[in-house]
Amino acid sequence: MQFSSRTKKFTTNSQTELYSHPLLFYVQPPLENISLVEFETFAVERLKLLKTIENLGVSYVKLSDQYIKKLEAESKALNFLYRTEATGLLPNGGSETLVYTTEVDLFRYRFNDLYPKQKLEFLHRNNLQYDTISVEEKKALHDKLVSSSYAFSGITVEDQDFYKVPFQDALDLVRLRKVYLKAGYVYIPHQEIVTIVLNDFRTRLSKALALTARSLPAVHSDERLQPLLNHLSHAYVGQDYSNQKNVGKISLEQIDSLSGKSFPLCMRQIHQSLRENHHLRHGGRMQYGLFLKGIGLSLEQALQFWRSEFIKGKVDADKFDKAYAYSIRHMFGKEGKRTDYTPYSCMKVILSNAPSQGDYHGCPFRHSDPELLKQKLQVYKVSPSGIIQILELIKGMHYQLACQKYFELTHNVEEASFSLNHPNQYFIESQKVLAGGRDIKRETDAPQKPQENSTKAPSAAPEAAANTQDVAEMTEELDSFFQDA
Amino acid sequence: MPASDYDSACLPDILPLYYRRLFPFSQYYRWLNYGGVQKNYFQNREFSFTLKDDIYVRYQSFTTQNELEKEMQKMNPYKIDIGAIYSHRPNQHNTVKSGTFQALEKELVFDIDMTDYDDVRSCCSAAEICPKCWTLMTIAIRVLDRALRDDFGFQHLLWVYSGRRGVHCWVCDKAARKLSVAARSAVAEYLSLVKGGDETMKKVVLSDPIHPFIRESLVVVERYFPLYALQDQDILGRKESVDKVLALTPEDILFRTCSRANSSIAQANSSPHFISLKSNLQQDFQNEKKPENRWNLLKDQAKRKQATSKKGQHFEKEIMLQYCYPRLDVNVSKGVNHLLKSPFSVHPKTGRISVPIDLKELETFDPFAVPTISMICEELDRPRTVEEEDKSEETIDKENEKDAAESRKIRDYKRTSLAKYVKCFDQFLDVMARSWKGELLKKSDLQKDF
């Protein structure tokens, strides 16, 4: 591999210097030789850490006290290593964005953990030097600075140093309108400087990920690494519910009844509005279409399903074939760059592409007015005490837990035996519960009544078998970890 | 000629005429070439065409203005979209290794569509527009234009009527074209105030203190609100619309506001929730029919509430913003590779040309007065006036053969109602040319040094 030849150019001195700092931008790749076993351990440790951070991000508000406490505990327990840039080798399909966001979270936490002096030192070491504004300028902008920074009174503004930074370097602050913005420059109070560093880190990380993605074919041709990498990325992302095993197990007639019984609220809501309006906008079509694909609709069924509904509305069959059929085939990887898209996870539904006017997609627990949600839950016959519990969870921003509570209430189970992170998982679990005892009975019935098989819950797919014997042991441990997580 | 005279069935017949004699190719090329400052800027730009029967062809690209002209005249697209500048020629995207063909730059674009305002306009719905709701677009342009210039420091903003129910903005500054996806989405989110879909009632929530950007936007909205919302849309007139507004007023403090009038009753009931502000307002509204006065009543309540509660309460501002603040299609702005309908493309449904909007005449801009393709093609058939005839003789004498065709085309559009919009486009380009002139000078200076 190329790595070894590069190593020789650098002295070990620069190496030790590099790792002596508590925080790194990962500008240089690791230059020393590492053994395969080491690589594997690093990668697994890093993955465990990232996965933990991701899960924490779901259950706690980022940077809240609780979150930090948890993160602290978890990261200590895992004893993470600074040197595991092995994750750079990970990008493989969907895991890319997950690695990206969680790495950024981790970095944020660690930067905040530094002493002020270390922060400054870090800024200087990485050439992030910005000008502070003059006293006169601060006076002139005083009112604007006060009213654009949340936590400041007039007096604190006077004591604070403000940096004048191009807005491109402080995107998080711009996005949230947390700073004053004028003529392309933001005015950042000293304490918010972490945002700039994060922004820089993000740029570097995405560049690095893109570069690694490009060199991936070369790495994959290394037969020592390939099985390991494959397995790592698979285990990290977890079940993606794209497997084609259940294709054709659902008939179109069943969808209405299934939507009441086994669909999570988000899908039930989209389904209902589709039936009512005979139309869905793009966001809804994507979220719902991929979900349906995940529960086992074939391409032909999907086309039939959407067409029959749309032509009841303003769209005629001809228009449908021209304007909508393409995007459905696209979803199934039959058009364009032929990516076989996977159903959206809860994280994706909650965090990206929030619904706007005329949209019905998104997560009802996240994107509905609590009052409207309450009414809806009443219609769906959720008990008043249950509704209170759900609203309480929403208040704490635990949307997935709220959904899980909804599952428990509507399925009459005491405590769900899984931790919900995917609408398709909800569906599978629901089918499992509903099939309940009957499942065993049906197995004996099955030969006589083959059609009834269609309602049977698709069993959770076992993780793909590892390619080689010697990785199997290691990966088993990893699997169990990720399933617990 | 009213737009209703346009018939989409005649498009195949008149599109060739439009692309042969009217489409402003030279300005169009001048725009997208950006002075030739960057190599292959025009050549690597994606165009996509919608042809007859909704056949959609992506990844078209052209090496010269001439090639673009020839191709458009051959294909006669119903609609033209502009995409990003890629790392390679888009028409050869299949020949490069996948993953290396990447969108690098594009104007920062905004798409504002009247459909997104359906919950707050009572005059029309979906794709329909009328003079009553068009004010929303005027407000959107005023708010965004100010913010993009003053806050973000951009200068070269091209506002374009989409041809049907909305407007587009092309921010053409060099810095804007180079923005990353993350930066685009940050800008779009900075500019977005109205959040939530059909499942959310209250879509604008302000926090304290109000950011200078929102203050500035409120100044714009307040200017239009009385005439637009209170008169044209009559949001405090009919019962249903009044209820909608009242649903956006807060429940909590309610009793304090009425305690002044009926303090004894309030105390007697002693439950703060017993008499709500809403019922109070509702009563007031029954005695007062005039929308303006009703609004003043509501504002008074808000003022009183602000005076009494510690944290600022801004529900009257939130109502104004929910009814008037621009609603962006964020996804269009975010992606570098997102396509957007090109200026001077025809809107196949209405036949109207997608024309630049002159901000100096924004208040009087009338989407229904925008020429349709059939209208300008007809204008072309009118006999020339003597004056025009004279002028054209002169120019032909002056110029050589090769330029004659070009100058005829220029004369052609000048005889139609498209002229003033092309002129507006020209002015935009002139201003922008000054910015790249400096850059070109710098470049040539550098070369002399060697």
Side-chain angles (χ1 to χ4, degrees):
Chain A
M1 260 172 46
Q2 274 184 326
F3 292 132
S4 50
S5 65
R6 246 197 269 164
T7 322
K8 285 166 198 152
K9 288 184 205 159
F10 295 87
T11 59
T12 34
N13 270 343
S14 72
Q15 284 294 305
T16 43
E17 205 229 343
L18 187 62
Y19 297 125
S20 66
H21 298 288
L23 191 57
L24 284 180
F25 256 154
Y26 307 124
V27 185
Q28 288 176 20
L31 299 168
E32 64 276 319
N33 285 311
I34 61 168
S35 73
L36 272 179
V37 179
E38 253 183 310
F39 169 76
E40 208 171 310
T41 341
F42 286 163
V44 170
E45 287 297 318
R46 187 67 166 200
L47 270 181
K48 281 184 182 173
L49 178 66
L50 291 182
K51 187 75 189 171
T52 314
I53 294 169
E54 191 203 345
N55 286 338
L56 284 177
V58 174
S59 332
Y60 300 96
V61 187
K62 273 179 198 167
L63 295 184
S64 67
D65 287 349
Q66 241 179 336
Y67 174 82
I68 289 176
K69 222 177 275 165
K70 277 275 176 190
L71 187 56
E72 219 167 327
E74 296 284 357
S75 51
K76 267 183 199 142
L78 286 166
N79 183 24
F80 58 81
L81 296 148
Y82 294 135
R83 277 186 279 173
T84 47
E85 282 132 280
T87 39
L89 290 168
L90 198 70
N92 198 346
S95 62
E96 218 168 309
T97 42
L98 291 174
V99 169
Y100 179 77
T101 48
T102 41
E103 281 283 358
V104 172
D105 284 348
L106 176 61
F107 186 90
R108 187 203 325 263
Y109 160 71
R110 281 162 44 185
F111 185 81
N112 279 331
D113 203 37
L114 294 179
Y115 295 108
K117 207 181 122 235
Q118 286 177 305
K119 283 188 192 174
L120 269 181
E121 197 187 313
F122 182 85
L123 288 178
H124 289 202
R125 206 170 59 241
N126 290 288
N127 297 324
L128 291 168
Q129 292 186 37
Y130 296 108
D131 297 331
T132 49
I133 60 171
S134 65
V135 181
E136 295 81 52
E137 197 172 1
K138 198 152 76 178
K139 235 177 222 157
L141 296 172
H142 185 268
D143 289 349
K144 311 263 185 194
L145 292 178
V146 172
S147 59
S148 54
S149 321
Y150 284 123
F152 294 148
S153 63
I155 308 153
T156 42
V157 166
E158 266 154 45
D159 301 339
Q160 279 272 341
D161 268 344
F162 277 82
Y163 296 87
K164 188 174 168 182
V165 176
F167 83 89
Q168 290 93 332
D169 291 350
L171 295 175
D172 278 353
L173 298 175
V174 171
R175 188 190 312 278
L176 300 169
R177 267 181 244 114
K178 269 180 147 180
V179 283
Y180 178 53
L181 174 59
K182 191 186 155 201
Y185 286 90
V186 292
Y187 294 79
I188 305 181
H190 182 74
Q191 62 180 50
E192 296 276 14
I193 208 80
V194 60
T195 317
I196 301 183
V197 182
L198 269 185
N199 200 50
D200 203 56
F201 178 68
R202 205 171 281 160
T203 324
R204 287 170 200 243
L205 186 61
S206 78
K207 227 178 250 167
L209 284 176
L211 277 176
T212 2
R214 225 173 284 173
S215 62
L216 215 55
V219 177
H220 269 284
S221 64
D222 187 322
E223 51 189 39
R224 298 168 306 164
L225 286 176
Q226 196 227 8
L228 176 69
L229 288 175
N230 273 348
H231 189 269
L232 278 178
S233 64
H234 187 77
Y236 179 67
V237 186
Q239 173 75 287
D240 66 6
Y241 299 95
S242 68
N243 48 1
Q244 310 293 323
K245 281 188 205 119
N246 6 344
V247 170
K249 290 215 173 147
I250 303 275
S251 74
L252 291 183
E253 292 75 42
Q254 287 174 306
I255 292 182
D256 278 317
S257 80
L258 282 176
S259 80
K261 279 188 301 199
S262 284
F263 281 16
L265 200 55
C266 54
M267 300 303 168
R268 190 174 179 179
Q269 172 177 307
I270 303 181
H271 181 77
Q272 204 176 347
S273 82
L274 172 66
R275 288 288 194 226
E276 274 163 21
N277 306 325
H278 313 298
H279 190 268
L280 269 185
R281 302 190 7 159
H282 180 257
R285 293 202 303 273
M286 287 302 285
Q287 186 179 330
Y288 190 42
L290 288 173
F291 170 79
L292 289 176
K293 177 182 160 191
I295 68 168
L297 242 57
S298 67
L299 173 60
E300 291 68 32
Q301 283 180 308
L303 282 168
Q304 195 193 337
F305 172 78
W306 292 100
R307 184 187 285 115
S308 64
E309 198 59 49
F310 271 47
I311 57 175
K312 283 183 204 153
K314 280 189 201 154
V315 176
D316 60 40
D318 195 41
K319 168 108 197 264
F320 180 88
D321 289 341
K322 275 174 193 155
Y324 298 99
Y326 176 92
S327 70
I328 291 160
R329 287 195 302 273
H330 196 265
M331 255 184 240
F332 281 77
K334 304 290 178 208
E335 298 279 0
K337 59 179 172 182
R338 296 183 176 268
T339 314
D340 199 1
Y341 290 91
T342 52
Y344 291 172
S345 67
C346 292
M347 282 289 274
K348 180 156 174 125
V349 171
I350 291 171
L351 294 178
S352 60
N353 195 20
S356 61
Q357 183 56 37
D359 281 332
Y360 295 88
H361 67 265
C363 170
F365 299 100
R366 168 70 183 88
H367 298 118
S368 297
D369 274 349
E371 200 49 39
L372 290 177
L373 181 68
K374 193 169 140 193
Q375 288 168 17
K376 184 162 280 175
L377 292 174
Q378 279 162 351
V379 175
Y380 291 158
K381 303 206 170 57
V382 178
S383 66
S385 67
I387 293 179
I388 292 170
Q389 283 177 302
I390 289 176
L391 292 178
E392 214 35 58
L393 286 167
I394 291 172
K395 218 178 261 167
M397 308 215 274
H398 306 300
Y399 309 114
Q400 284 162 255
L401 294 179
C403 189
Q404 192 156 341
K405 181 55 77 189
Y406 171 77
F407 180 94
E408 289 162 7
L409 292 165
T410 47
H411 290 76
N412 272 327
V413 287
E414 276 293 306
E415 199 161 318
S417 56
F418 57 95
S419 112
L420 181 68
N421 57 36
H422 203 293
N424 287 74
Q425 180 193 14
Y426 183 106
F427 177 78
I428 290 171
E429 294 294 340
S430 164
Q431 288 286 292
K432 262 192 216 160
V433 172
L434 294 178
R438 285 179 297 141
D439 211 21
I440 310 152
K441 212 173 93 195
R442 185 163 297 130
E443 242 157 57
T444 50
D445 283 356
Q448 289 100 324
K449 294 180 187 169
Q451 304 101 311
E452 269 196 21
N453 251 352
S454 53
T455 46
K456 194 171 137 191
S459 57
E463 298 284 296
N467 294 17
T468 45
Q469 275 294 328
D470 46 329
V471 268
E473 215 171 289
M474 173 106 202
T475 50
E476 233 168 70
E477 188 198 322
L478 190 62
D479 281 344
S480 62
F481 175 82
F482 285 117
Q483 271 160 10
D484 294 344
Chain B
M1 192 182 80
S4 54
D5 280 13
Y6 162 80
D7 176 8
S8 64
C10 67
L11 264 187
D13 299 328
I14 52 178
L15 275 171
L17 186 64
Y18 177 65
Y19 289 122
R20 218 175 54 240
R21 295 180 58 187
L22 292 167
F23 191 92
F25 283 107
S26 75
Q27 287 90 342
Y28 197 67
Y29 177 79
R30 189 180 175 211
W31 170 34
L32 295 173
N33 192 42
Y34 286 100
V37 176
Q38 263 170 285
K39 230 179 114 210
N40 289 333
Y41 216 61
F42 180 80
Q43 286 78 355
N44 290 355
R45 169 81 74 161
E46 178 189 359
F47 295 86
S48 83
F49 294 157
T50 309
L51 307 177
K52 196 168 180 287
D53 298 321
D54 287 331
I55 295 164
Y56 198 59
V57 242
R58 279 198 67 173
Y59 298 123
Q60 305 291 297
S61 65
F62 311 99
T63 46
T64 58
Q65 179 190 334
N66 199 18
E67 197 186 318
L68 169 81
E69 264 185 74
K70 292 268 141 54
E71 202 58 26
M72 297 232 290
Q73 285 161 356
K74 198 175 91 197
M75 314 261 275
N76 291 310
Y78 275 43
K79 184 171 152 248
I80 306 161
D81 288 291
I82 299 181
I85 293 120
Y86 282 84
S87 50
H88 303 78
R89 304 251 155 112
N91 60 2
Q92 297 167 359
H93 75 281
N94 278 329
T95 63
V96 296
K97 219 165 76 200
S98 75
T100 54
F101 179 70
Q102 275 165 339
L104 303 179
E105 292 188 15
K106 200 189 65 183
E107 292 77 8
L108 170 64
V109 294
F110 295 95
D111 179 9
I112 305 147
D113 195 329
M114 198 68 95
T115 358
D116 292 327
Y117 292 87
D118 274 4
D119 61 325
V120 289
R121 54 180 188 147
S122 52
C123 48
C124 324
S125 66
E128 300 154 355
I129 54 163
C130 73
K132 274 187 183 168
C133 51
W134 187 254
T135 314
L136 286 169
M137 292 297 142
T138 312
I139 299 174
I141 295 175
R142 288 271 181 244
V143 168
L144 298 177
D145 195 72
R146 188 213 63 78
L148 289 167
R149 285 177 202 275
D150 297 353
D151 298 3
F152 289 97
F154 296 130
Q155 291 169 15
H156 305 292
L157 274 57
L158 181 66
W159 287 96
V160 182
Y161 169 54
S162 76
R164 193 183 193 186
R165 57 182 175 196
V167 292
H168 300 157
C169 177
W170 297 77
V171 186
C172 301
D173 295 60
K174 192 174 167 200
R177 283 179 270 138
K178 290 189 184 305
L179 289 178
S180 66
V181 173
R184 284 162 205 262
S185 85
V187 175
E189 277 175 49
Y190 177 88
L191 297 171
S192 300
L193 278 184
V194 186
K195 301 255 164 79
D198 279 7
E199 304 295 316
T200 332
M201 293 270 283
K202 194 161 177 58
K203 294 180 185 177
V204 180
V205 179
L206 297 181
S207 55
D208 217 36
I210 297 182
H211 191 274
F213 157 74
I214 300 176
R215 289 224 175 271
E216 293 290 339
S217 304
L218 270 165
V219 171
V220 177
V221 169
E222 273 162 2
R223 204 163 76 219
Y224 290 93
F225 187 78
L227 190 64
Y228 162 72
L230 300 179
Q231 276 187 32
D232 288 351
Q233 295 289 335
D234 198 20
I235 63 165
L236 291 177
R238 285 174 305 111
K239 173 137 190 350
E240 313 91 82
S241 46
V242 172
D243 287 347
K244 254 183 166 176
V245 175
L246 287 179
L248 299 175
T249 58
E251 303 253 7
D252 50 316
I253 31 108
L254 318 181
F255 124 98
R256 194 169 296 146
T257 47
C258 65
S259 67
R260 191 174 295 204
N262 310 323
S263 59
S264 56
I265 302 173
Q267 264 158 18
N269 289 309
S270 78
S271 153
H273 297 289
F274 192 74
I275 303 172
S276 73
L277 170 63
K278 276 177 203 173
S279 63
N280 197 20
L281 255 183
Q282 231 150 14
Q283 254 166 20
D284 287 350
F285 277 12
Q286 256 160 23
N287 306 326
E288 180 57 68
K289 297 285 180 225
K290 253 188 107 189
E292 282 79 9
N293 294 341
R294 284 182 168 186
W295 180 250
N296 285 335
L297 284 170
L298 196 146
K299 269 208 300 209
D300 286 347
Q301 299 276 22
K303 235 184 238 150
R304 254 181 259 167
K305 184 167 174 176
Q306 274 145 29
T308 46
S309 66
K310 237 192 211 162
K311 273 265 167 189
Q313 290 286 341
H314 312 286
F315 69 88
E316 95 285 10
K317 296 191 180 69
E318 289 166 350
I319 293 172
M320 281 197 277
L321 292 172
Q322 176 152 347
Y323 275 85
C324 299
Y325 189 84
R327 300 174 175 209
L328 300 174
D329 186 339
V330 178
N331 290 322
V332 176
S333 307
K334 271 185 191 168
V336 178
N337 57 356
H338 207 292
L339 294 154
L340 188 67
K341 185 163 181 269
S342 162
F344 296 102
S345 170
V346 178
H347 196 296
K349 290 264 161 50
T350 60
R352 287 196 207 110
I353 311 290
S354 187
V355 291
I357 299 172
D358 186 354
L359 290 208
K360 288 194 287 297
E361 291 168 19
L362 179 59
E363 305 301 318
T364 51
F365 180 86
D366 176 6
F368 298 100
V370 169
T372 63
I373 180 170
S374 23
M375 177 173 156
I376 51 175
C377 287
E378 235 164 75
E379 285 170 346
L380 209 54
D381 290 340
R382 279 186 319 210
R384 288 157 194 253
T385 60
V386 182
E387 202 181 324
E388 277 172 343
E389 206 72 56
D390 283 355
K391 244 198 222 157
S392 56
E393 298 279 316
E394 258 171 60
T395 38
I396 286 181
D397 285 347
K398 270 185 208 152
E399 293 168 33
N400 61 34
E401 283 286 301
K402 199 186 147 207
D403 288 342
E406 182 60 25
S407 70
R408 184 169 348 110
K409 196 151 67 198
I410 292 171
R411 289 198 318 274
D412 277 345
Y413 81 74
K414 284 199 170 151
R415 290 167 48 217
T416 69
S417 25
L418 197 60
K420 75 168 188 182
Y421 301 102
V422 179
K423 200 176 148 208
C424 168
F425 192 39
D426 267 325
Q427 285 163 350
F428 167 78
L429 293 172
D430 286 343
V431 177
M432 204 160 55
R434 267 174 245 147
S435 78
W436 65 59
K437 221 168 243 163
E439 235 173 293
L440 286 175
L441 268 177
K442 241 186 268 163
K443 246 191 191 170
S444 66
D445 281 357
L446 276 178
Q447 272 164 355
K448 268 174 213 157
D449 283 347
F450 285 104

